[in-house]
Amino acid sequence: MDFTWPAELEKLRLEAEEVAARATADLAVKEDSWINGYDREFSRELGERGWLGMTWPKQYGGHERTPLERFVVTEALIEAGAPIAASWFSDRQMGPSILAFGTEEQKQRFLPPMTRGEANWCIGMSEPDNGSDLAHLKTRATLDGDEFVVDGAKVWTSFAATADYMYLICRTDPDAPAHKGLSELIVPMDSPGIEVVPITDMTTNRHFCEVVLTGVRVPAGNLVGELNNSWKQTMGQLEHERGGIDRLVSNKALYRDALPFADTADERVRQDIASIETHYRIGRLMVLKGVLGQGIPGSSAITKTFGTEFEQRVADFVGRTLGPAATLWGRWARGMCYAPAYTIMGGTSNVLRGIMADRVLGLPREPQ
């Protein structure tokens, strides 16, 4: 089978690699750039190049290019560690969600700034007492005339401190069953009543935040999709979040730069390298199946689990390769310390295995 790109995609790949190389030339840390590499100026450059909203309709600022073209660009940028975090959430899932469920007014208002790299978004999902268990979230939005009044708290909300908007999942019918009564709202982050507290993680990154919403008034016109019936919308959004190339190659730059230090005279090390290279290729094909619409329903849970558990293996390989040098604070140590996050953010591996068993394989549930 021929896995090489046709000429037009190969040209695009080379262009994206050149742009990424220039953007990362002075960066000390190149991995995990889609969540840690925050650079609004670079996002505006991506917008000028037409690399944001690549597959979206032109009437909303998009470029109507193919999913494969978007894949080629994003793979090259993330593998190299280009700082795309300021536009990644909106391009990966907020824009597609608004395209799928938003009103015409919402599409005209919110999508063009995304494609220009001018709007930064955060996602209000997880809560202090409900991480992966979204169905039991407690943040409440009560309709009051032509506005919703929102009260509650979100946590691990990346970029909340710098975001222009939050895409909020909230409970609008407290008497409905857990998976019912949920809605999605677009919340301007400059609204009165929003308090954002950045959280410093063990690698010194500060993109995580806790957000407290107290009496925040949101126009009713910012409701996305159906009132009290957003569960399927949110699950569709998570398909975008979990099944992309970012879940496979986040720390490939770390692996690439550690590889010259590997003792390839040792056959065990050669076996490790062969296994890693093989898994990169397998994972890439899994992502591509999703990109091409060939994945089975729920397959993003499989892709995300495979990719993020593999990324932890990559970090372990880097630690073994660098030895004592990996214990000194710096890029290598940071990569090892960050590794546990891969299988937590975006849904823990345990939760995703439950999704695979239930929704993909149709296995019987355990008795309540």
Side-chain angles (χ1 to χ4, degrees):
M1 298 177 67
D2 183 4
F3 287 102
T4 59
W5 293 125
E8 64 275 13
L9 288 181
E10 180 64 15
K11 180 180 178 182
L12 181 61
R13 182 187 69 82
L14 292 173
E15 181 186 356
E17 287 184 348
E18 180 182 345
V19 170
R22 187 174 67 253
T24 59
D26 298 324
L27 295 182
V29 176
K30 297 179 172 64
E31 42 282 355
D32 313 306
S33 65
W34 61 269
I35 196 166
N36 293 317
Y38 189 91
D39 186 335
R40 283 203 163 193
E41 183 177 345
F42 186 67
S43 287
R44 285 191 289 271
E45 178 183 341
L46 295 179
E48 292 169 359
R49 289 181 174 275
W51 288 356
L52 297 175
M54 289 181 70
T55 63
W56 305 353
K58 290 183 178 179
Q59 69 190 94
Y60 306 125
H63 305 281
E64 298 184 3
R65 301 181 75 167
T66 67
L68 276 179
E69 287 176 291
R70 181 182 183 275
F71 172 86
V72 165
V73 169
T74 55
E75 179 183 44
L77 294 176
I78 296 172
E79 278 192 353
I84 64 173
S87 52
W88 181 245
F89 285 0
S90 60
D91 185 70
R92 180 183 69 180
Q93 63 198 101
M94 304 297 83
S97 293
I98 293 173
L99 272 172
F101 305 110
T103 65
E104 183 64 23
E105 189 276 333
Q106 289 170 349
K107 294 174 186 177
Q108 295 286 353
R109 178 183 174 189
F110 295 113
L111 296 181
M114 292 182 184
T115 65
R116 296 193 298 266
E118 296 174 354
N120 182 219
W121 289 63
C122 63
I123 306 167
M125 283 192 180
S126 296
E127 298 185 354
D129 295 321
N130 294 287
S132 297
D133 185 12
L134 292 176
H136 290 90
L137 60 82
K138 297 181 176 65
T139 295
R140 176 82 180 274
T142 304
L143 190 60
D144 179 22
D146 59 356
E147 293 180 314
F148 287 95
V149 181
V150 183
D151 292 279
K154 298 291 180 178
V155 74
W156 311 308
T157 309
S158 293
F159 312 129
T162 56
D164 303 300
Y165 298 98
M166 174 188 284
Y167 197 98
L168 177 71
I169 317 300
C170 55
R171 187 163 299 284
T172 45
D173 184 353
D175 299 322
H179 291 80
K180 304 290 184 180
L182 300 178
S183 300
E184 298 178 343
L185 299 177
I186 296 173
V187 181
M189 289 299 288
D190 59 358
S191 302
I194 296 180
E195 179 186 4
V196 179
V197 181
I199 300 171
T200 303
D201 68 23
M202 68 188 300
T203 71
T204 72
N205 289 320
R206 287 174 60 83
H207 62 79
F208 277 172
C209 298
E210 181 172 9
V211 183
V212 179
L213 304 102
T214 306
V216 178
R217 304 191 77 88
V218 180
N222 284 18
L223 171 72
V224 180
E226 295 184 52
L227 179 67
N228 300 328
N229 195 29
S230 73
W231 182 252
K232 288 185 178 180
Q233 296 176 198
T234 303
M235 292 303 99
Q237 182 188 140
L238 289 174
E239 287 288 304
H240 292 292
E241 178 175 338
R242 292 170 173 164
I245 194 65
D246 49 312
R247 300 300 186 177
L248 178 72
V249 299
S250 289
N251 61 354
K252 191 169 186 178
L254 189 74
Y255 165 72
R256 180 197 64 218
D257 292 346
L259 202 54
F261 298 97
D263 179 13
T264 54
D266 187 329
E267 63 182 13
R268 294 168 300 178
V269 174
R270 295 200 303 272
Q271 287 283 21
D272 281 346
I273 294 171
S275 177
I276 288 173
E277 294 289 347
T278 300
H279 278 71
Y280 270 128
R281 285 156 176 77
I282 293 172
R284 188 170 185 261
L285 293 178
M286 294 171 71
V287 174
L288 277 168
K289 287 188 70 174
V291 168
L292 295 170
Q294 298 174 1
I296 59 177
S299 61
S300 68
I302 303 172
T303 303
K304 197 268 184 185
T305 302
F306 177 94
T308 54
E309 290 182 352
F310 168 66
E311 286 176 323
Q312 289 182 338
R313 286 186 53 202
V314 169
D316 289 343
F317 171 81
V318 170
R320 294 195 304 272
T321 297
L322 273 296
T327 66
L328 302 175
W329 185 247
R331 185 182 175 195
W332 313 117
R334 182 217 163 272
M336 295 172 63
C337 289
Y338 192 81
Y342 294 128
T343 55
I344 298 173
M345 57 186 180
T348 66
S349 290
N350 284 346
V351 167
L352 295 181
R353 281 188 164 83
I355 291 173
M356 294 180 218
D358 184 24
R359 302 180 198 169
V360 180
L361 299 176
L363 298 179
R365 295 188 175 190
E366 293 185 7
Q368 294 295 320

